[in-house]
């Protein structure tokens, strides 16, 4: 490292320390965010160092992050993307690749998913001309069940795409077995659940693909960013092609002829010897991330275990503190699981003497941030009315979520004092309105 760079990075560390302003927690004044990034001195230094080196495209930090994150998640390959939403799009689109021959997904094929979730789990299904088949969830865990998925399997079913709800695993081992028994693809949307386990096995290791988001709300952040993981090397190669403009070449963009076969190909109706770097075998995208993002991801990754422990600890504090509070359904871990919590979900019972809206307004007035359980019942949103889909069973619980459910934060930036204020505020409201 040059002397000049060392001086700059030393100043960055000083700047970080000088700008840390902690006036302490002031109840009702200090914002208690439901989610957010936890960034320290090393994160700031990593970003500045990448900027000093002008690593403005995907490069060595991106490749290093992919390798380390794949190892951490017990998958053979990871491909970094510009968002978790793009990761879901790539994973779904990869299943339509001509390279999968007779097993590929085709327009009109059905994909089982849940109605109560985030749109970017469902959007790639529609964007690929596939048909979502919606099933309901259980209240308390906010996940669907293997029985519901089994009931939804029909002659056109070709895949299952489900998210682990707010860090709480769905019955992924049983659903993976269903997928295997019926020759279906399985994509785990693991964006909210990094580090969770089901039956002692990491979520994200059961399906053909798993996806993760690095948006600031998630377990790790790059600001924006995401990743597609798989242990199937053929599927990984398809994802790489789709992410990188659809090109057939696997050499890095800055490499000239690492494969030593750059001018030896004949594909399509192109002339023999056409530059392989400019042969395109998929209708792809440019969904890569940058080394600036990956540099931050690497320093964040070193803190992942601490982040997960803090989320679990914060969730337990809220659960124990609110235990027994009347008129509220408190969250429960899915049996046989160890969640890596994203948020703490509360459902106001339908017969409660107060509304969800009144409780949320009370908390928000006290600067306690709340969020809905994402879209609630997606089929009720204007974007999805009129879209091709099928519903199996009713969506009664998804409707309850739409009307009665919200969540508060458990992210590592919250202190015990903040969490205790959340607990006391909820209890105060319920006591005054019961």
């Amino acid at each position: 490292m040059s002397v000049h760079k060392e001086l700059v990075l030393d100043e960055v560390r000083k700047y970080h320390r000088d700008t840390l302003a902690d006036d302490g927690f002031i109840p009702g004044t200090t914002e208690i965010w439901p989610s957010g990034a936890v960034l320290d001195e090393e994160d700031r230094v990593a970003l500045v160092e990448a900027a000093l080196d002008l690593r403005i495209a995907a490069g060595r930090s991106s490749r290093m992050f992919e390798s380390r994150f794949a190892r951490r998640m017990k998958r053979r390959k990871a491909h970094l993307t510009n968002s978790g939403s793009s990761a879901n799009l790539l994973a779904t689109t990869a299943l339509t690749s001509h390279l999968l021959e007779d097993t590929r997904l085709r327009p009109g094929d059905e994909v089982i998913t849940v109605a109560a979730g985030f749109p970017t789990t469902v959007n790639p299904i529609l964007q690929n001309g596939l048909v979502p088949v919606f099933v309901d969830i259980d209240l308390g865990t906010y996940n669907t069940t293997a029985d519901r998925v089994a009931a939804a399997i029909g002659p056109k079913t070709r895949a299952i795409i489900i998210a682990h709800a707010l860090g709480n695993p769905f019955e992924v081992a049983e659903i993976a077995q269903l997928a295997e028994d019926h020759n279906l693809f399985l994509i785990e949307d693991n964006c909210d659940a990094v580090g969770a386990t089901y039956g002692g096995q990491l979520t994200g290791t059961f399906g053909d693909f798993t996806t993760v988001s690095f948006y600031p709300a998630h377990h790790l952040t790059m600001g924006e960013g995401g990743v597609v993981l798989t242990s199937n090397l053929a599927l990984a190669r398809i994802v790489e092609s789709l992410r990188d403009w659809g090109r057939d070449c696997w050499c890095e963009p800055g490499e000239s002829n690492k494969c030593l076969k750059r001018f030896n190909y004949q594909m399509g109706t192109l002339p023999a010897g056409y530059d392989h770097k400019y042969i395109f075998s998929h209708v792809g995208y440019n969904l890569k991330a940058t080394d600036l993002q990956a540099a931050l991801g690497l320093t964040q990754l070193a803190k992942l275990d601490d982040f997960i422990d803090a989320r679990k600890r914060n969730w337990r504090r809220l659960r124990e503190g609110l235990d027994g509070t009347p008129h509220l359904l408190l969250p429960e871990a899915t049996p046989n699981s160890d969640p890596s919590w994203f948020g703490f979900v509360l459902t106001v019972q339908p017969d409660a003497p107060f509304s969800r809206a009144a409780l949320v307004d009370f908390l928000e007035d006290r600067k306690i941030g709340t969020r809905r359980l994402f879209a609630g019942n997606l089929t009720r949103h204007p974007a999805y009315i009129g879209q091709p889909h099928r519903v199996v069973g009713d969506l009664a619980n998804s409707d309850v979520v739409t009307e009665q459910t919200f969540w508060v934060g458990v992210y590592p930036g919250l202190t015990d004092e903040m969490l205790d204020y959340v607990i006391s505020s909820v209890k105060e409201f319920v006591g005054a309105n019961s």
Side-chain angles (χ1 to χ4, degrees):
M1 186 184 298
S2 72
V3 173
H4 284 116
K5 181 191 281 191
E6 288 181 4
L7 288 172
V8 170
L9 297 182
D10 282 344
E11 287 300 317
V12 170
R13 291 185 176 91
K14 293 175 185 176
Y15 174 83
H16 183 87
R17 296 166 196 154
D18 290 346
T19 55
L20 287 178
D22 184 7
D23 297 326
F25 173 64
I26 304 173
T29 299
T30 304
E31 296 275 3
I32 301 177
W33 295 103
S35 61
V38 176
L39 301 167
D40 64 15
E41 180 179 310
E42 293 309 312
D43 295 319
R44 193 185 296 268
V45 168
L47 276 172
V48 172
E49 183 175 11
L52 288 174
D53 292 342
L54 293 178
R55 302 204 307 273
I56 57 176
R60 61 180 175 87
S61 290
S62 298
R63 293 189 292 273
M64 185 182 299
F65 180 86
E66 287 173 337
S67 175
R68 291 182 182 177
F69 195 68
R71 192 160 55 247
R72 177 63 173 79
M73 297 301 294
K74 301 187 185 302
R75 303 265 80 180
R76 293 182 69 184
K77 296 291 289 185
H79 285 96
L80 195 57
T81 70
N82 60 355
S83 71
S85 304
S86 293
N88 281 343
L89 176 60
L90 286 169
T92 306
T93 305
L95 300 182
T96 71
S97 171
H98 62 280
L99 297 180
L100 299 180
E101 299 179 340
D102 291 343
T103 63
R104 68 185 289 195
L105 272 58
R106 298 177 185 273
D109 285 344
E110 293 184 344
V111 180
I112 298 170
T113 190
V114 298
F118 199 72
T120 56
T121 305
V122 175
N123 290 350
I125 301 172
L126 294 166
Q127 288 160 343
N128 279 282
L130 308 169
V131 178
V133 177
F134 292 108
V135 295
D136 206 8
I137 60 166
D138 281 347
L139 297 176
T141 68
Y142 303 94
N143 280 301
T144 195
T145 61
D147 287 344
R148 288 191 180 94
V149 172
I153 296 173
K156 293 185 178 180
T157 306
R158 298 298 313 287
I160 303 166
I161 304 175
I162 302 176
H164 298 285
L166 288 179
N168 196 14
F170 59 84
E171 293 177 345
V172 62
E174 293 85 350
I175 290 173
Q177 187 62 55
L178 281 174
E180 182 178 342
D181 292 344
H182 293 271
N183 295 315
L184 309 177
F185 291 108
L186 173 61
I187 297 176
E188 294 178 71
D189 182 331
N190 204 41
C191 290
D192 293 349
V194 172
T197 60
Y198 187 82
Q201 181 176 335
L202 276 176
T203 57
T205 61
F206 292 85
D208 298 283
F209 282 122
T210 188
T211 59
V212 174
S213 173
F214 301 125
Y215 189 71
H218 291 284
H219 289 58
L220 301 178
T221 188
M222 295 183 182
E224 299 285 353
V227 72
V228 184
L229 300 115
T230 184
S231 290
N232 184 315
L233 297 184
L235 290 177
R237 178 70 194 95
I238 295 169
V239 167
E240 182 177 31
S241 175
L242 287 165
R243 183 196 65 176
D244 297 4
W245 307 283
R247 69 190 189 125
D248 196 75
C249 183
W250 54 86
C251 296
E252 293 292 334
E255 296 173 346
S256 293
N257 191 18
K258 188 174 182 179
C259 64
L260 303 178
K261 296 191 295 184
R262 178 176 166 189
F263 301 107
N264 292 353
Y265 287 90
Q266 195 288 310
M267 301 181 71
T269 61
L270 293 167
Y274 198 85
D275 190 343
H276 193 220
K277 290 177 72 70
Y278 292 97
I279 296 177
F280 298 90
S281 52
H282 289 93
V283 179
Y285 312 91
N286 177 7
L287 299 178
K288 298 189 302 299
T290 71
D291 260 20
L292 285 168
Q293 293 165 276
L296 176 57
L298 285 167
T299 55
Q300 285 273 294
L301 183 56
K303 299 182 278 280
L304 177 58
D305 288 337
D306 290 339
F307 288 161
I308 292 170
D309 288 345
R311 286 175 175 274
K312 291 180 178 180
R313 184 171 60 250
N314 291 344
W315 189 92
R316 284 195 302 270
R317 192 176 189 93
L318 289 171
R319 187 63 178 76
E320 291 167 2
L322 290 171
D323 190 41
T325 305
H327 310 303
L328 296 178
L329 176 64
L330 300 185
E332 298 286 349
T334 302
N336 204 31
S337 78
D338 182 10
S340 179
W341 295 105
F342 183 77
F344 187 89
V345 196
L346 291 164
T347 295
V348 177
Q349 300 281 21
D351 59 353
F354 53 85
S355 68
R356 175 206 52 79
L359 174 53
V360 165
D361 285 346
F362 181 81
L363 296 176
E364 293 280 350
D365 284 345
R366 292 191 165 203
K367 304 298 181 183
I368 298 169
T370 66
R371 293 291 185 269
R372 303 305 295 269
L373 186 47
F374 306 130
N377 184 345
L378 275 165
T379 68
R380 296 173 61 177
H381 286 256
Y384 304 96
I385 294 174
Q387 295 282 3
H389 70 277
R390 187 161 65 89
V391 175
V392 177
D394 62 36
L395 299 178
N397 290 338
S398 298
D399 285 332
V400 170
V401 164
T402 306
E403 306 289 345
Q404 303 291 115
T405 301
F406 69 99
W407 58 271
V408 295
V410 298
Y411 81 104
L414 301 179
T415 65
D416 288 349
E417 193 176 8
M418 291 175 175
L419 296 167
D420 290 344
Y421 183 63
V422 173
I423 293 166
S424 64
S425 296
V426 171
K427 285 185 167 181
E428 178 181 334
F429 176 87
V430 172
N433 290 276
S434 294

